[in-house]
Amino acid sequence: MKESAQRALDTSAARGATYADVRVIDIRQRYLSTKNGQAAQVRDSESLGLGIRVIADGSWGFASTCYLDVTSVDAVAAQAVEVARASALCRKREVMLAPEGKVVDRWEGECQIDPFSLPVSTCLDLMLRVDQELRRVQGITLAEASMDFRRVDQLFVSSEGSEIRQVKTQTGAGFVATSFSGDQIQRRSYPNSFGGQYQTRGYELVEELDLLKHAPRIAEEAAELHRCDQCPEGFFDIILGSSQVGLQIHESIGHPIELDRVLGDEANYAGMSFLTLDQPGRLQYGSPAINVVADATVAHGPGLGTFAYDDEGVPAQSTPIIQNGLFVGYLTSRESAAMTGRARSSGAMRAEAWNRIPLIRMTNVSLLPGNGTLEDLIADTGEGIYMETNRSWSIDDRRYNFQFGTEVGWEIRNGRKTRMLKNPSYGGITTEFWNACDAVCGPEDWVLWGTPNCGKGQPPQTMGTGHGASPVRIRKIHVGVAYQQ
Amino acid sequence: MNLSRQFADEIFSKVLKYSTAEETEASVTGTSYSLTRFANNTIHQNVAEEDIVLSIRAVSGQRTARTSTNRFDDASVRRACETALALAELQAPDPDLLPVPGPQTYRPVDRYDGETAELDPRSRAETVGRVIERAEHDGLTAAGAFSSGSVAHGLYTSRGLSVFHEESVSEFSVTMLGASSSGWAKRTGQRWRMLDIEDAANCAARKALESREPREVPAGKYTVILEPAALLDMFGFLLLDFGALAVDEQRSSLTGRLNQKVFGSNIHIADDVYHPLQGGAPFDGEGIPRERVELVKDGIVKNLVYSRQSARKHHVPATGHGFPLPNEYGEAPVNIVMKGGPHSHEAMIRSTSRGLLVTRLWYIREVDPYKKILTGMTRDGTFWIEDGEIKYGVKNLRFNASIIDLLNCVEMMSPSKRTAGEESIEMVVPAVKVLDFNFSSLTKF
């Protein structure tokens, strides 16, 4: 790895690059799934390659290759410089980077049980037992379980002298029970929908999830959804389960605080942001109960946004985003920090693989815990609706107007969870929503959720992000919007 | 230079040498791709990539598994073969698993343009420069992407199937931004000179200029003209539902609706990889030749698509729409051609007394999987129509609408054209004028 990376740096310098960084990445993945009593997917993959990003003639260029022989490395470095020179044909300003110190380091993320050394049969056996439990419940028409493992071994070197080796292992697992009847398809998932829970850890995460224990309850709930009432339409106090809060944070806080969106870099595709540069220190984003950080440090936990250094070699940081409801900070890169007069990047540049450039991405954007348990909050609420596990999510391209649906809801009456409700949904405007949030549950209900499928960029990149969240209460929000005619 | 047939053949020879599985399938996919991205009237990202991926599927005793690698030395290929076989042998036998297919006969398609495949970064930058000049002429800000390259794909089995497809690709999309408005256009094709980038830039600029100072219209049901990209991104949510396995597993909105009238009588939809405006290889993930399939005729769901496995179960021929095995989803149509109508864009507007024109949709998600209710937002050019004329731009709205209901309310259609959105695959679809499209709320811009 090191020889190829250094050679690419040397070649780019000889060709006229004034800055270069190289990432050589070896990625290994394993995806396993079961469906209705059979293995559905059993798939292993590996991908090795080198990507070099340069500044030449004051503009960016990037090229990547799967070949690491000397000739190919020289060619790809020269190509990156040629691409940068082409960029300079439409240059309005020279690229400037916020300063960053040279780093030489090695870091390996938490992984107690290596999922790649574990027999595949152990994983399949557990999933098939879960599958069996799900299908034991009458009305379940489709039982699915999955496990997803990814190890990234990355070397970063830069023309500023940094040399950083990082190894991360990510694990995800979950299951879903589907029930078709009449004119309805209902689903329940555990521990979350769309693949389950993901963290930067080993197989110990799967063991902690205790999938088998939860299978009967989840299957019963999926079947029961056909027998329960439709979630009403109107304005209600709601309580959201922590995984749903995690996605709400992702969409209505995490994306708008990406400074490249604010500056217009994503105007054609992922969209922009309502958080214009005059907002920090002025915008009351939420109620005083809302405190949010973007925290990539190990101390925050093993989230999908946990690392030691970002893909520009900037050390992991904890950045205040919202303090007592006041908006205070963005996710930044070295370039966007320099453009907006910041002394330093917040360390949020991340690339999906060796063949993609780093972009500003969420790290672990988390809502800090408040006080009390979920049971306390339900008891305190009196009348309302409790909603759990995301089913659909959508938000406009500047991140104001959102709508979410969840798999299940329960009516809260007299401070108690009562009848089940199907097809719950709610919608609103981002800042109105967070300002209507008057209670955040405490650390006992706080979970660092993983969102493994965040899309951004052209060509598209998928990134894993972390979101610590505990249940919250929102006062008088519009419920039932998805089915309102 | 992308993957050649000769190199793909050599890699498969190596796979055959090292695989000890009863049966082996290998696919070799080469990508040579570059993309120039611009925003704020400058090129801010500019990338190039070369990659070749070998994917091996081993079959042993009615069991199968897949591994992939982008390393082609003997030791790596041998390891990949051994891993695929070891993963397969860990499983219980699948009684429905079929042997790998043998030689097939394919209808040729010519989808390669050398100039597009090899287009250099300077040519892309010069083209982007002209788009930026166009934006600056009207005081607008341009953002977008211009990509070019090629994809090559060889598929082989130990029973003698051998097929290779190479296709050039190009794509241009642009968003023109004014102080209070925006407009968007996108073009894709196998030949970059056919994209008519100047026309796309003019279209996006015109929409941005005409939607300045947008006004609010209240939520409610409106007559709406959906431009082709807006229809495409909604229709994409039906693709998997046309798969036979999805219907068998009761996860499709077409469950129990085969041979029933699900859509309006004026809806006719086929899957046709051979259509001159379509793209892609003439074979599926198992190497089975793709057939033209009439999916919807006169609003009636006439056919589903079938992988080999689904076809055997239903005693029908495979249609060539299977995904690479093993997979959870079975099959889906991926070359949609919807029959259009005779009406021009202008005629649809002239015929509308009160309604909305929608350029594109954004962040569409499924709210209800059987009723096929979708939600999403309008974006980059939404207009109020009154008395047959576009009057002004409007602030963006959120919809909650069923794509099935929508295709029962199509009053007028334009001729179909090759179309690209941002949330589904390319299709050949018309613009449609629909009645009673449900907008549930609006946003602030």
Side-chain angles (χ1 to χ4, degrees):
Chain A
M1 275 188 174
K2 188 176 174 183
E3 294 74 20
S4 300
Q6 190 58 51
R7 186 167 184 103
L9 281 184
D10 294 344
T11 303
S12 67
R15 294 279 182 151
T18 54
Y19 169 86
D21 55 39
V22 178
R23 288 171 300 115
V24 185
I25 306 180
D26 190 354
I27 302 171
R28 185 170 180 200
Q29 291 180 275
R30 174 171 292 163
Y31 181 77
L32 309 169
S33 67
T34 58
K35 187 172 73 171
N36 280 356
Q38 289 277 348
Q41 282 217 51
V42 180
R43 194 179 69 207
D44 248 29
S45 67
E46 60 181 17
S47 180
L48 172 68
L50 177 151
I52 175 168
R53 188 179 70 144
V54 306
I55 299 173
D57 292 351
S59 292
W60 284 117
F62 174 85
S64 61
T65 181
C66 61
Y67 299 110
L68 299 187
D69 60 279
V70 169
T71 306
S72 298
V73 169
D74 284 348
V76 79
Q79 185 185 18
V81 175
E82 182 197 357
V83 169
R85 293 215 157 104
S87 302
L89 294 175
C90 297
R91 194 186 76 194
K92 290 287 191 289
R93 54 170 179 78
E94 287 202 15
V95 174
M96 303 294 287
L97 302 178
E100 197 58 49
K102 167 184 164 181
V103 174
V104 178
D105 199 3
R106 181 187 172 91
W107 176 81
E108 188 151 350
E110 177 183 337
C111 178
Q112 293 170 22
I113 304 172
D114 177 8
F116 293 99
S117 63
L118 199 72
V120 170
S121 55
T122 302
C123 305
L124 287 174
D125 180 58
L126 174 58
M127 288 191 287
L128 288 169
R129 286 163 63 203
V130 167
D131 180 290
Q132 195 173 28
E133 288 298 319
L134 297 177
R135 287 184 297 127
R136 216 186 284 279
V137 174
Q138 192 172 10
I140 298 305
T141 49
L142 188 61
E144 296 170 286
S146 64
M147 292 187 193
D148 195 357
F149 309 115
R150 177 181 169 95
R151 173 161 296 148
V152 180
D153 183 351
Q154 169 171 320
L155 175 68
F156 170 91
V157 298
S158 78
S159 57
E160 295 172 337
S162 287
E163 182 184 320
I164 301 166
R165 185 81 176 259
Q166 295 189 92
V167 180
K168 285 192 302 186
T169 304
Q170 295 176 352
T171 294
F175 64 81
V176 54
T178 302
S179 175
F180 172 80
S181 179
D183 64 351
Q184 287 181 44
I185 298 171
Q186 295 290 349
R187 293 191 181 101
R188 283 292 286 133
S189 309
Y190 175 85
N192 199 358
S193 47
F194 306 104
Q197 168 66 316
Y198 280 74
Q199 290 190 331
T200 300
R201 304 171 71 188
Y203 191 78
E204 64 273 15
L205 171 67
V206 180
E207 293 185 341
E208 289 172 18
L209 293 174
D210 206 351
L211 300 173
L212 203 52
K213 175 185 161 190
H214 294 272
R217 172 180 63 86
I218 289 294
E220 294 285 357
E221 288 178 0
E224 191 182 344
L225 280 165
H226 287 288
R227 302 188 289 271
C228 73
D229 293 331
Q230 174 79 13
C231 179
E233 188 264 325
F235 285 80
F236 296 89
D237 293 346
I238 64 169
I239 296 173
L240 300 175
S242 71
S243 66
Q244 176 58 28
V245 177
L247 191 59
Q248 180 83 45
I249 294 166
H250 179 98
E251 300 292 354
S252 67
I253 298 176
H255 279 308
I257 63 173
E258 295 164 344
L259 190 53
D260 55 347
R261 287 179 186 260
V262 175
L263 297 174
D265 288 359
E266 291 286 337
N268 177 243
Y269 184 64
M272 296 175 67
S273 170
F274 70 93
L275 294 173
T276 49
L277 292 172
D278 57 338
Q279 296 297 315
R282 294 177 55 191
L283 176 70
Q284 193 66 33
Y285 208 118
S287 75
I290 305 302
N291 288 281
V292 175
V293 295
D295 194 336
T297 67
V298 172
H300 193 68
L304 289 187
T306 300
F307 47 75
Y309 301 90
D310 79 351
D311 288 337
E312 290 190 309
V314 178
Q317 296 163 47
S318 178
T319 304
I321 302 297
I322 300 173
Q323 290 180 324
N324 301 320
L326 186 68
F327 171 55
V328 293
Y330 293 109
L331 294 163
T332 67
S333 62
R334 293 182 66 185
E335 183 183 13
S336 62
M339 280 178 71
T340 55
R342 286 166 169 76
R344 192 186 189 197
S345 164
S346 70
M349 286 288 271
R350 307 174 68 196
E352 176 188 274
W354 53 267
N355 57 356
R356 295 289 182 268
I357 56 168
L359 300 171
I360 295 177
R361 305 305 301 257
M362 286 172 240
T363 54
N364 301 306
V365 179
S366 298
L367 175 65
L368 299 181
N371 297 301
T373 66
L374 173 60
E375 286 68 31
D376 296 338
L377 188 57
I378 289 172
D380 183 62
T381 298
E383 315 295 318
I385 298 170
Y386 172 67
M387 299 185 189
E388 190 174 279
T389 315
N390 182 264
R391 189 165 94 170
S392 69
W393 68 105
S394 174
I395 190 165
D396 73 43
D397 60 287
R398 294 193 185 177
R399 305 277 154 179
Y400 284 116
N401 179 310
F402 65 82
Q403 179 179 304
F404 290 93
T406 65
E407 290 184 346
V408 65
W410 283 271
E411 187 176 32
I412 300 169
R413 298 195 71 173
N414 301 317
R416 297 183 63 183
K417 230 171 87 175
T418 59
R419 62 176 178 141
M420 182 185 275
L421 299 169
K422 68 185 175 189
N423 306 325
S425 61
Y426 65 96
I429 297 291
T430 291
T431 46
E432 294 170 8
F433 173 89
W434 287 110
N435 276 285
C437 176
D438 70 342
V440 178
C441 287
E444 54 271 63
D445 287 310
W446 193 89
V447 178
L448 184 48
W449 293 101
T451 301
N453 56 352
C454 177
K456 187 177 178 182
Q458 298 164 300
Q461 299 191 38
T462 301
M463 182 56 66
T465 63
H467 305 290
S470 44
V472 301
R473 179 175 61 200
I474 314 295
R475 296 291 194 184
K476 297 289 173 284
I477 190 163
H478 198 174
V479 168
V481 287
Y483 287 82
Q484 180 191 12
Q485 290 296 311
Chain B
M1 182 64 73
N2 203 346
L3 170 72
S4 67
R5 168 118 206 192
Q6 183 184 346
F7 188 51
D9 289 350
E10 288 170 10
I11 292 174
F12 181 61
S13 297
K14 204 178 274 193
V15 170
L16 276 187
K17 179 179 167 187
Y18 291 119
S19 177
T20 57
E22 286 171 23
E23 294 187 324
T24 305
E25 173 202 290
S27 77
V28 189
T29 304
T31 303
S32 176
Y33 180 79
S34 299
L35 184 144
T36 300
R37 203 170 187 213
F38 53 103
N40 295 307
N41 289 346
T42 188
I43 292 175
H44 66 310
Q45 294 167 11
N46 208 348
V47 302
E49 72 170 290
E50 297 275 350
D51 194 17
I52 297 177
V53 176
L54 165 65
S55 184
I56 300 167
R57 183 166 72 88
V59 179
S60 174
Q62 296 287 115
R63 301 165 296 187
T64 192
R66 183 176 289 278
T67 60
S68 65
T69 181
N70 65 351
R71 305 173 205 188
F72 307 109
D73 59 277
D74 285 17
S76 296
V77 174
R78 181 201 292 263
R79 189 176 68 246
C81 289
E82 290 171 352
T83 303
L85 180 58
L87 290 174
E89 289 181 337
L90 286 168
Q91 302 166 47
D94 175 1
D96 296 325
L97 184 68
L98 294 171
V100 298
Q104 307 287 319
T105 303
Y106 301 99
R107 183 174 157 188
V109 294
D110 178 12
R111 287 175 172 159
Y112 186 80
D113 173 52
E115 186 192 16
T116 301
E118 302 293 334
L119 194 66
D120 62 58
R122 188 175 186 90
S123 299
R124 283 194 308 278
E126 288 170 350
T127 303
V128 167
R130 289 191 288 276
V131 172
I132 290 171
E133 283 175 17
R134 171 68 187 83
E136 289 174 336
H137 177 267
D138 280 314
L140 299 169
T141 302
F146 179 20
S147 63
S148 58
S150 65
V151 177
H153 182 206
L155 188 61
Y156 308 85
T157 71
S158 54
R159 285 178 178 262
L161 185 151
S162 173
V163 61
F164 187 83
H165 174 76
E166 190 171 21
E167 184 160 336
S168 51
V169 293
S170 63
E171 180 175 306
F172 175 80
S173 69
V174 61
T175 304
M176 294 283 190
L177 295 124
S180 60
S181 62
S182 58
W184 173 87
K186 184 174 183 179
R187 307 283 163 80
T188 65
Q190 288 104 29
R191 289 168 173 74
W192 85 274
R193 288 190 184 279
M194 302 294 284
L195 299 181
D196 201 348
I197 288 172
E198 184 181 349
D199 181 66
N202 285 332
C203 175
R206 190 176 64 250
K207 284 175 181 285
L209 294 170
E210 290 178 356
S211 59
R212 279 177 169 162
E213 303 299 330
R215 306 182 197 178
E216 288 187 359
V217 297
K221 289 189 175 180
Y222 290 96
T223 294
V224 170
I225 298 170
L226 295 173
E227 292 200 345
L231 176 65
L232 174 149
D233 277 333
M234 289 188 76
F235 190 83
F237 284 83
L238 280 172
L239 295 181
L240 284 167
D241 289 12
F242 279 99
L245 183 63
V247 172
D248 289 345
E249 293 179 343
Q250 301 179 316
R251 55 182 162 83
S252 166
S253 64
L254 302 180
T255 303
R257 289 169 164 169
L258 186 60
N259 293 316
Q260 290 188 14
K261 190 164 180 298
V262 177
F263 308 108
S265 300
N266 55 352
I267 302 302
H268 313 277
I269 302 166
D271 185 83
D272 185 4
V273 73
Y274 307 104
H275 190 282
L277 297 179
Q278 269 290 356
F283 53 90
D284 71 3
E286 289 187 85
I288 302 302
R290 290 194 185 279
E291 302 292 339
R292 182 186 186 279
V293 177
E294 189 171 56
L295 300 170
V296 178
K297 185 182 182 189
D298 302 327
I300 298 167
V301 178
K302 300 294 288 185
N303 291 293
L304 304 174
V305 295
Y306 297 86
S307 66
R308 292 171 71 223
Q309 199 160 308
S310 296
R312 188 177 71 160
K313 183 176 176 186
H314 289 270
H315 309 291
V316 297
T319 60
H321 292 85
F323 296 124
L325 292 174
N327 72 78
E328 294 98 332
Y329 297 104
E331 59 279 283
V334 292
N335 295 97
I336 292 295
V337 179
M338 182 171 168
K339 187 178 177 184
H343 305 289
S344 68
H345 189 260
E346 291 72 24
M348 285 196 276
I349 294 170
R350 275 199 306 273
S351 70
T352 304
S353 56
R354 290 167 62 84
L356 289 158
L357 172 70
V358 174
T359 297
R360 69 183 285 206
L361 299 171
W362 159 253
Y363 222 133
I364 307 170
R365 290 294 181 273
E366 189 173 81
V367 166
D368 189 303
Y370 194 74
K371 297 183 179 73
K372 225 61 189 177
I373 299 171
L374 309 175
T375 191
M377 297 293 303
T378 64
R379 181 175 173 181
D380 297 329
T382 308
F383 298 89
W384 177 249
I385 303 168
E386 195 167 312
D387 298 332
E389 290 180 6
I390 288 179
K391 293 294 186 184
Y392 46 78
V394 301
K395 292 187 178 179
N396 289 298
L397 296 124
R398 170 169 299 286
F399 67 90
N400 277 280
S402 160
I403 180 68
I404 294 174
D405 291 348
L406 183 151
L407 291 175
N408 274 289
C409 297
V410 176
E411 193 176 73
M412 298 173 80
M413 283 187 273
S414 73
S416 291
K417 60 184 242 185
R418 180 186 172 95
T419 304
E422 294 292 7
E423 307 197 13
S424 190
I425 55 177
E426 290 148 33
M427 302 178 197
V428 179
V429 292
V432 292
K433 179 180 167 184
V434 300
L435 308 175
D436 295 329
F437 192 80
N438 182 42
F439 288 109
S440 53
S441 63
L442 61 156
T443 190
K444 293 178 178 290
F445 61 96

